[in-house]
Amino acid sequence: MRLGMQLGYWPSSPPAGAADAVRAADAAGLDSVWTAEAYGSDALTPLAWWGAATQRVRLGTAIAQMYARTPAATAMAALTLDHLSGGRFVLGLGASGPQVVEGWYGQPYRRPLARTREYVQIVRDVLRREAPVTADGDFFRLPLPAPAAPLGPDAPRADRDAEPTGLGKALRSTVRPLRADLPIHLAAEGPRNVALAGEIADGWLPAFYAPRLDASLREPLDDGLARRSGALRPREEFEVCASVPVVVRGSVAEAADVVRPHLALYVGGMGARGANFHLEAVARLGYREVCEEIQSLYFAGRVDEAAAAVPLELIQDVALVGTIDDVAARVRDWEATAVTTMLLQGDPATWRTLLAPGSPVLAAARG
């Protein structure tokens, strides 16, 4: 079992102590450091800035949003960071949801699995650099073809502005990637999306993983892995890097109270009614009624009550809370699961405790 540091996305400003925590993670021998993005800070800039002070730790995005960049732009960023880090970059991708995609990026959120398949293929084609990159999919066409019949001057201005010139050329990256097989991970919550990760990616980034349900959670992943192409990394090298909130306090109850607002936000406030993938992921762990109650309270503006409605059982299913010894003991519950790396997400005080010399959590993870 490996441990990583999940820094997430920024709240209202850059998180205090993040640079020190990243350097400490590198010195302590953690496997990886990961950043995320929603609709504020981006995932790539902080990773490059903080990662520049490290030597060994892998640097990953969990996640970079696919609707935020074209596949070619994402591939350019990935090969650039991989060169600058000496081959330590991991590209974690996710589709986000309709509220962010249509509200922030102004793009239609349709058939996200089919779009993801096309997106990942183009990124891989850029990185492999075997030929000029072309694509003729439902979502991406490279280069854009010339219009069959150019629009006349009387056509609506918006239609004419959207019409390609037909002068596009299939191109190959000017930079030779450091690793043509740079690892690509997919964030996935629904069974079909998890299966897609097993089929086309090099890793899965689950947001809510419960060790007690490991057998059922890995079923769709196994379905996807069975359809995996021989051109990709072998199944034995496939990674499952699960984000796990961790809070070290004087008691389980005290630490659980810190996690409750976080879970309430994702279950109740990160998506529309009927279109909240986080809620559905938690509901599949056996908390359907709880999730519906939390969402109803959140939508009613009763945020504190929504947090209070998060049960301790749910928190202990998907997070590590309590004293440092409590946390160390629960780490062992993850060792027999499909998870290969726990991406621990905590505040600066928790990280100082986790990375202190003689930390029982590090000892537990290393067996």
Side-chain angles (χ1 to χ4, degrees):
M1 175 67 68
R2 298 189 294 270
L3 294 182
M5 173 181 287
Q6 171 60 283
L7 294 168
Y9 52 83
W10 295 3
S12 58
S13 60
D20 292 338
V22 171
R23 287 192 293 269
D26 190 48
L30 262 63
D31 168 75
S32 46
V33 170
W34 302 72
T35 55
E37 59 190 12
Y39 40 93
S41 61
D42 78 292
L44 296 163
T45 308
L47 194 68
W49 186 267
W50 296 328
T54 65
Q55 300 295 323
R56 296 173 296 276
V57 70
R58 291 194 297 166
L59 306 170
T61 54
I63 58 159
Q65 296 177 337
M66 285 182 281
Y67 287 86
R69 304 165 190 85
T70 65
T74 294
M76 290 167 61
L79 70 86
T80 301
L81 268 172
D82 205 43
H83 269 292
L84 293 175
S85 66
R88 294 186 285 135
F89 182 64
V90 181
L91 176 61
L93 298 171
S96 189
Q99 282 195 325
V100 172
V101 170
E102 297 187 359
W104 188 247
Y105 296 121
Q107 299 184 54
Y109 192 82
R110 300 295 183 190
R111 299 169 57 206
L113 271 68
R115 188 180 188 277
T116 296
R117 188 182 291 275
E118 289 186 23
Y119 195 105
V120 171
Q121 185 58 55
I122 294 172
V123 172
R124 289 200 187 278
D125 288 346
V126 172
L127 294 174
R128 287 170 178 156
R129 203 176 175 272
E130 294 172 349
V133 179
T134 61
D136 186 24
D138 294 335
F139 299 91
F140 302 102
R141 291 179 297 164
L142 296 174
L144 282 175
L151 296 173
D154 295 332
R157 176 67 178 271
D159 291 344
R160 286 187 284 119
D161 286 346
E163 185 179 52
T165 64
L167 300 177
K169 177 182 178 181
L171 300 171
R172 188 195 320 240
S173 170
T174 60
V175 176
R176 295 181 181 275
L178 184 62
R179 293 181 295 168
D181 63 346
L182 184 152
I184 299 173
H185 293 197
L186 285 182
E189 293 180 296
R192 292 175 58 214
N193 209 349
V194 173
L196 183 67
E199 180 185 353
I200 70 171
D202 304 299
W204 170 32
L205 297 163
F208 304 102
Y209 203 98
R212 67 178 177 84
L213 296 175
D214 177 68
S216 61
L217 290 171
R218 69 166 74 205
E219 283 180 5
L221 179 63
D222 288 339
D223 290 344
L225 289 170
R227 297 193 296 270
R228 191 172 182 78
S229 166
L232 301 178
R233 282 184 171 82
R235 177 174 181 154
E236 294 74 21
E237 295 181 14
F238 190 89
E239 297 188 74
V240 179
C241 302
S243 291
V244 184
V246 55
V247 178
V248 177
R249 294 292 189 271
S251 69
V252 170
E254 181 185 357
D257 283 341
V258 179
V259 177
R260 281 192 168 90
H262 169 80
L263 290 178
L265 169 64
Y266 275 79
V267 170
M270 295 287 274
R273 192 182 296 277
N276 184 331
F277 305 134
H278 306 304
L279 181 151
E280 292 301 322
V282 175
R284 281 190 290 270
L285 302 180
Y287 296 98
R288 170 69 61 184
E289 292 183 4
V290 167
C291 287
E292 291 175 354
E293 178 188 5
I294 292 170
Q295 186 182 65
S296 294
L297 290 168
Y298 221 98
F299 283 175
R302 296 154 65 183
V303 176
D304 291 342
E305 292 178 59
V310 177
L312 179 60
E313 293 78 10
L314 168 57
I315 295 169
Q316 292 186 307
D317 263 346
V318 301
L320 300 173
V321 294
T323 67
I324 188 67
D325 291 328
D326 291 329
V327 170
R330 294 302 298 273
V331 164
R332 299 185 182 95
D333 294 342
W334 295 71
E335 292 176 352
T337 70
V339 174
T340 59
T341 305
M342 298 175 69
L343 308 184
L344 303 183
Q345 185 169 7
D347 57 25
T350 291
W351 272 112
R352 283 192 293 272
T353 302
L354 293 177
L355 298 178
S359 166
V361 174
L362 297 183
R366 292 165 180 166

